[in-house]
Amino acid sequence: MSDAHTAVHGGHHPVDPSVPVEYHHEENSLRIAGFWVFLGSDLVLFSCLFATYVVMHGRTAGGPTSNQLFDVTGFTIETIALLFSSFTCGLATYEMRRGNRNAMVMWLLITIALGLVFLGFEITEFVQDASSGARMQTSGFLSAFFTLVGTHGCHVSMGILWMSGVVVQLIRRGITPITARKAFIVSIYWHFLDAVWIFIFTVVYLTGKVL
Amino acid sequence: MHFFMLDEGPLIWTSDVLIILATIGIIAVLSYFKLWKWLWDNWLTTVDHKKIGIMYLIAAILMLFRGGTDGLLLRAQLSWPNMHFLNADHYDQIFTTHGTIMILFMAMPAIIGFFNVAVPLQIGCRDVAFPYLNAISFWLFFAAAMLFNLSFVVGGSPDGGWTSYTPYVENAFDPGPGENYFLVALQITGIGTIATGVNFLVTILRMRAPGMTLMRMPMFTWSVFITSIIIVFAFPVLTVALALLLIDRDFGSHFFTVSAGGMPMQYVNLFWIWGHPEVYIVILPAFGIFSEVFSTFSRKRLFGYSAMVVSMVAIAILSFVVWVHHFFTMGAGPGVNSFFGVSTMAIAIPTGVKVFNWLFTMHKGRLEYTTAMLWAVGFIPNFLIGGLTGVMLAVPPADYQYHNSYFLVSHFHYVLIGGTVFGVFAALYYWWPKMFGVLLNERLGKWHFWLFMIGFNICFFPMYFLGFMGMTRRVYTYPAGYGWGVINLIETFGALLMGIGFLVFAFNILWSARYGERDTTGDPWDARTLEWATTSPAPTYNFARIPEIKGRDAWWLMKKNGESINGPKDIPFEPIHMPNDSGRPIIMSLFFFIAGAGFVFEWWILAIIGLAGVLVTMALRSFEYDDHHYIPVEEIEKTEAAAGRL
């Protein structure tokens, strides 16, 4: 714990093979811890958006309701794509631990592709909604819907850009403790977005079709 | 062009002239003395927590001046019935900027400045967990403060009060860029604050020196630890509240409008779910500072250490479950109001525990009334008055009488000034030698204390009675015949005394820089915690060798046992791994500023350029591998020899 000092600032500890590669420098474990804390704050951010959405859900002001708006096929496919991308992202981490750079890069690229599929469906859905007159400006419900789902979509877009950058660094440098840490952090981010999406799927889409 | 408001009268013109003169003055001085390169190399690009802390404090003192000027303008306008010194618009803008600047741009940077100045030194490490992120935090705050300060002369300041309640601040009632300034500036500084919270949480959890268990940490570090947890969980709520309101104003959605299904109370709830923890964010570090100051100047260890920790944790938990007491009168119903009334009163218990612990710390101690100690001793009665009126306000039926009256204004000024500002002043006098290697003048300090403290009481104590007499907050003038005039005049006189006290403080800074007593030992107060174990100011690496901690008040123990901070002499030093300076944080904050201006004026090209710049700087950081260097052993030995520690 507190030998962080010697490690962060100067000491060179022998690499302990029982520790996963992304934890090989004490600085890496600091950064991973810091990222977990950040995810905690991001979780609070999404909680507030969820709370706002739940409050606004019935306030449609004569505009379309959630039941009229949501398309079961679309949101099911995008959910499967995103959940599967979390699985492939986990496979990438698994290959990273085994030291297979090429397999790892492949799984990460598949993850990015699935993320793009997800985004494609979401953008299509938004464009269709907006062109049918269900805009952010229509009602409180739609403001909350677009903001909550859109914030998640922005997070996914950021994750795709970020993961692409990590893939470039992996191709250039191979699996080193530093690139492993970067890949690991982007993967926990990705899984976090997946967990948030499960809540969106439940609270927004499934509930929206029945209530 | 109409955003520059050149037809709005002398107040705007004066501000324009002052801003231009100050800018020209700064540029001229820097150019004349050829200081640009020095400034860039030593300050603007630094990732050293001690320098970042100093920059935070400089900014906070400047903002204290700006917020105080706002306050004096308000008091001048209220000093007599039917005054027309300010018009209603300007009055609204000034009380809004006064509140916002004092809380977000003065209190926050001041306490975060002390996080940076003291915490890494107190836990015996070389820097915070993420030095680069720390620099970003500061520059985001600074960019936001500059953006906010421009508002008065470019486009008009926000005028919805620092709480910025909907639906009043929606476009229908409050068009123009003013309110956007509030939303965007707070958003930017909020991002920086969340980063600070994450940073210090990880620093304190993971970077403590060997032997520094949680229950051996100095009380200030404990308070920062708890505060960081509150920051991480409270600030995202503000981010959401501001973002939703900005989307409403910029894109015409309907979160908080009364039409089209919006719900104004949702904003009020979100705002105070952040806002109440926020007031504990600014008071808990002040409590930590007072704990340090009391134990140092009583020559005793802190009384009831574990009770202090437990009460701080209790306050942190309770701070999240009291937010409705800010709007008892908004019709939540008796059940809800009772719950929140009781939870609010419950906060008085841990706070009372802390106050008694401070008193027992002083009990039978060998008290030394330095200026820092005066601020700490003055804090207890003043904060007590504020706290007890808070308990009065926590009674929902009674609150229907006090709500939004000057009774409330007086209450929160008593806790914020009597707690946070006194704490900041105590800390400035206490840690000044550690920051600059020079002591502030004690005689001037005492003048500063007495003028400020007496002025503060003259200014705010009569407000309780004004509140009972029915004067409500945020009125820009009042008719004669209510009996309010004389009381207001007395208060204005008190406010002037506070202003004079502040000027004495400013003079003290300048005087001490020139003639002040140098701190050669690094331990001018004969203090107890680790930051006093090293030179003043501390070397860049803080500690040549990370100290072994054997108990609470680590430095005191070392002094008693005659140990050196560097441990036994025969062990050779090792090279020290340090982060490189970087110019990227300040460039990133410039892009945030540009993006912010774009969102304020709904000029999307600017917003897109700014956000793209932010993304590019982030990507550049991601691809940066060469971001640290080693301080060679010779250099360490040279520094340590100069400090007489070899």
Side-chain angles (χ1 to χ4, degrees):
Chain A
M1 199 66 166
S2 50
D3 60 358
H5 292 285
T6 36
V8 173
H9 304 297
H12 289 286
H13 284 259
V15 172
D16 173 3
S18 69
V19 178
V21 61
E22 68 270 11
Y23 285 98
H24 272 181
H25 285 326
E26 190 59 38
E27 191 169 353
N28 286 358
S29 99
L30 272 182
R31 295 199 182 198
I32 291 167
F35 197 77
W36 278 110
V37 176
F38 162 76
L39 285 186
S41 75
D42 219 21
L43 194 64
V44 175
L45 186 136
F46 275 110
S47 323
C48 294
L49 291 172
F50 272 109
T52 308
Y53 175 81
V54 170
V55 164
M56 297 283 176
H57 178 235
R59 301 174 158 263
T60 48
T65 64
S66 57
N67 198 356
Q68 295 159 346
L69 204 63
F70 299 154
D71 160 41
V72 178
T73 331
F75 71 69
T76 309
I77 295 174
E78 68 182 355
T79 301
I80 290 169
L82 196 68
L83 264 59
F84 196 68
S85 81
S86 212
F87 174 62
T88 56
C89 189
L91 288 178
T93 310
Y94 170 75
E95 293 295 354
M96 176 175 87
R97 299 261 166 88
R98 291 175 46 184
N100 298 342
R101 191 206 42 196
N102 293 347
M104 177 185 175
V105 168
M106 179 190 80
W107 285 119
L108 282 179
L109 288 173
I110 291 172
T111 307
I112 291 171
L114 285 165
L116 286 169
V117 169
F118 165 83
L119 270 186
F121 271 94
E122 186 159 277
I123 291 166
T124 313
E125 180 198 4
F126 279 13
V127 170
Q128 275 172 354
D129 288 351
S131 53
S132 70
R135 294 191 180 84
M136 219 174 190
Q137 293 77 2
T138 310
S139 66
F141 154 65
L142 284 168
S143 305
F145 166 75
F146 282 116
T147 306
L148 169 60
V149 180
T151 304
H152 177 268
C154 283
H155 273 72
V156 172
S157 319
M158 275 296 291
I160 288 172
L161 287 174
W162 181 5
M163 205 177 270
S164 314
V166 170
V167 165
V168 170
Q169 293 175 45
L170 276 168
I171 292 170
R172 278 193 196 165
R173 294 170 181 272
I175 299 179
T176 67
I178 293 179
T179 52
R181 180 250 300 161
K182 286 174 189 263
F184 185 76
I185 290 180
V186 77
S187 77
I188 47 181
Y189 179 74
W190 197 258
H191 296 311
F192 165 79
L193 293 185
D194 218 52
V196 170
W197 180 259
I198 290 169
F199 280 91
I200 291 181
F201 178 69
T202 315
V203 172
V204 177
Y205 289 103
L206 291 184
T207 319
K209 282 315 270 188
V210 291
L211 286 180
Chain B
M1 270 317 279
H2 71 277
F3 283 133
F4 287 100
M5 306 187 301
L6 295 174
D7 50 355
E8 291 232 3
L11 203 63
I12 303 280
W13 300 334
T14 319
S15 312
D16 277 331
V17 170
L18 285 175
I19 289 174
I20 291 166
L21 281 180
T23 313
I24 291 174
I26 292 168
I27 292 172
V29 166
L30 287 172
S31 307
Y32 181 79
F33 291 106
K34 300 195 169 52
L35 291 175
W36 284 106
K37 188 167 170 16
W38 166 84
L39 188 72
W40 177 260
D41 288 343
N42 284 302
W43 293 94
L44 302 188
T45 60
T46 187
V47 294
D48 177 1
H49 67 94
K50 298 177 285 296
K51 285 182 176 170
I52 288 174
I54 288 169
M55 291 196 292
Y56 262 120
L57 288 166
I58 292 170
I61 290 169
L62 286 175
M63 291 293 125
L64 178 63
F65 176 72
R66 150 91 215 241
T69 311
D70 283 348
L72 285 171
L73 288 170
L74 301 179
R75 284 299 346 149
Q77 164 61 24
L78 289 173
S79 57
W80 204 243
N82 299 321
M83 278 280 274
H84 288 291
F85 167 65
L86 300 173
N87 62 31
D89 271 355
H90 284 164
Y91 185 87
D92 290 353
Q93 293 182 16
I94 289 174
F95 74 65
T96 302
T97 51
H98 171 73
T100 311
I101 282 180
M102 283 300 204
I103 291 176
L104 271 303
F105 299 122
M106 187 283 284
M108 290 301 289
I111 60 152
I112 291 173
F114 289 120
F115 287 15
N116 277 296
V117 164
V119 168
L121 286 163
Q122 284 195 332
I123 59 176
C125 66
R126 295 206 164 109
D127 208 324
V128 293
F130 314 115
Y132 176 89
L133 186 70
N134 201 13
I136 289 179
S137 289
F138 170 74
W139 287 112
L140 286 189
F141 147 75
F142 193 76
M146 290 302 109
L147 187 68
F148 194 83
N149 273 279
L150 270 183
S151 64
F152 193 63
V153 294
V154 187
S157 281
D159 54 3
W162 86 276
T163 49
S164 186
Y165 274 9
T166 52
Y168 168 68
V169 298
E170 290 283 0
N171 281 337
F173 306 98
D174 194 1
E179 203 56 41
N180 297 351
Y181 270 114
F182 172 91
L183 300 168
V184 170
L186 262 63
Q187 193 71 280
I188 295 173
T189 190
I191 296 167
T193 308
I194 293 175
T196 300
V198 172
N199 215 333
F200 279 87
L201 195 59
V202 176
T203 304
I204 295 173
L205 276 176
R206 304 294 297 273
M207 313 260 299
R208 301 190 305 279
M212 172 77 73
T213 58
L214 281 176
M215 291 310 269
R216 284 179 182 175
M217 294 195 308
M219 195 45 67
F220 178 66
T221 303
W222 253 113
S223 73
V224 174
F225 179 47
I226 310 259
T227 307
S228 302
I229 295 173
I230 305 180
I231 287 175
V232 167
F233 287 108
F235 260 82
V237 186
L238 175 74
T239 305
V240 170
L242 296 172
L244 300 189
L245 186 48
L246 191 68
I247 293 168
D248 260 12
R249 288 181 56 91
D250 274 3
F251 306 112
S253 63
H254 292 290
F255 287 105
F256 311 125
T257 52
V258 185
S259 60
M263 193 174 174
M265 275 314 289
Q266 179 69 10
Y267 174 84
V268 178
N269 272 293
L270 284 175
F271 182 88
W272 285 115
I273 289 173
W274 161 78
H276 200 86
E278 162 67 14
V279 300
Y280 286 94
I281 290 167
V282 296
I283 197 65
L284 284 179
F287 285 175
I289 289 161
F290 291 129
S291 303
E292 301 289 329
V293 170
F294 277 126
S295 90
T296 298
F297 295 113
S298 308
R299 301 271 166 269
K300 278 174 68 188
R301 53 190 292 194
L302 188 67
F303 183 92
Y305 182 97
S306 3
M308 283 296 215
V309 172
V310 172
S311 59
M312 246 178 330
V313 175
I315 289 173
I317 293 167
L318 283 168
S319 75
F320 281 93
V321 292
V322 298
W323 79 92
V324 174
H325 72 212
H326 294 272
F327 44 95
F328 279 149
T329 56
M330 291 214 191
V336 173
N337 280 359
S338 307
F339 172 85
F340 284 95
V342 170
S343 64
T344 305
M345 292 176 208
I347 288 197
I349 299 165
T351 314
V353 168
K354 296 186 80 68
V355 170
F356 280 110
N357 277 331
W358 288 314
L359 293 176
F360 283 126
T361 303
M362 287 194 284
H363 179 67
K364 289 192 174 169
R366 280 183 293 131
L367 299 188
E368 192 186 342
Y369 284 103
T370 57
T371 310
M373 184 67 167
L374 278 180
W375 285 111
V377 173
F379 145 83
I380 289 186
N382 285 301
F383 190 79
L384 197 66
I385 294 170
L388 291 176
T389 49
V391 176
M392 289 167 74
L393 282 159
V395 184
D399 185 64
Y400 272 77
Q401 193 60 39
Y402 313 130
H403 185 74
N404 270 0
S405 73
Y406 263 80
F407 187 91
L408 166 81
V409 175
S410 186
H411 153 71
F412 69 66
H413 280 90
Y414 259 89
V415 283
L416 283 167
I417 298 181
T420 305
V421 177
F422 279 25
V424 167
F425 281 138
L428 281 167
Y429 282 93
Y430 183 62
W431 277 313
W432 199 266
K434 188 47 62 185
M435 289 189 277
F436 299 105
V438 72
L439 277 75
L440 284 172
N441 179 289
E442 284 289 314
R443 174 191 281 267
L444 286 171
K446 293 198 164 100
W447 272 98
H448 168 205
F449 168 75
W450 287 110
L451 283 170
F452 194 91
M453 213 272 293
I454 291 168
F456 161 64
N457 277 286
I458 293 173
C459 182
F460 291 103
F461 201 76
M463 279 189 192
Y464 289 122
F465 303 102
L466 264 186
F468 286 140
M469 290 159 79
M471 185 165 171
T472 49
R473 74 198 283 200
R474 295 172 180 167
V475 290
Y476 93 102
T477 189
Y478 49 91
Y482 284 5
W484 298 349
V486 176
I487 300 182
N488 271 304
L489 191 63
I490 293 170
E491 284 171 6
T492 303
F493 172 71
L496 278 172
L497 271 187
M498 285 166 86
I500 295 167
F502 176 79
L503 289 180
V504 171
F505 172 65
F507 176 72
N508 194 351
I509 292 176
L510 297 172
W511 189 92
S512 304
R514 195 75 207 261
Y515 307 107
E517 184 193 333
R518 303 288 149 187
D519 170 23
T520 48
T521 57
D523 187 14
W525 314 118
D526 193 18
R528 314 173 72 81
T529 44
L530 268 186
E531 75 268 37
W532 304 104
T534 173
T535 4
S536 296
T540 42
Y541 49 76
N542 292 355
F543 300 99
R545 197 176 290 116
I546 297 300
E548 279 280 343
I549 309 300
K550 298 194 176 63
R552 247 173 242 168
D553 290 349
W555 175 230
W556 191 253
L557 279 177
M558 285 180 192
K559 281 194 285 194
K560 261 198 345 213
N561 303 336
E563 291 166 16
S564 145
I565 182 71
N566 282 346
K569 287 208 190 314
D570 46 0
I571 308 174
F573 290 125
E574 283 177 1
I576 295 174
H577 172 283
M578 293 300 276
N580 283 349
D581 288 351
S582 173
R584 219 174 295 108
I586 187 172
I587 292 165
M588 189 193 238
S589 81
L590 186 72
F591 281 120
F592 264 101
F593 185 93
I594 292 168
F599 279 107
V600 167
F601 291 101
E602 301 182 28
W603 201 9
W604 305 126
I605 293 185
L606 213 55
I608 290 164
I609 291 172
L611 291 176
V614 171
L615 278 179
V616 168
T617 46
M618 283 165 83
L620 284 172
R621 170 64 177 172
S622 175
F623 280 80
E624 182 180 51
Y625 275 75
D626 180 23
D627 64 344
H628 57 267
H629 61 277
Y630 284 92
I631 300 180
V633 173
E634 301 78 61
E635 203 178 314
I636 301 168
E637 280 172 349
K638 228 170 45 199
T639 314
E640 292 300 301
R645 277 197 298 265
L646 271 186

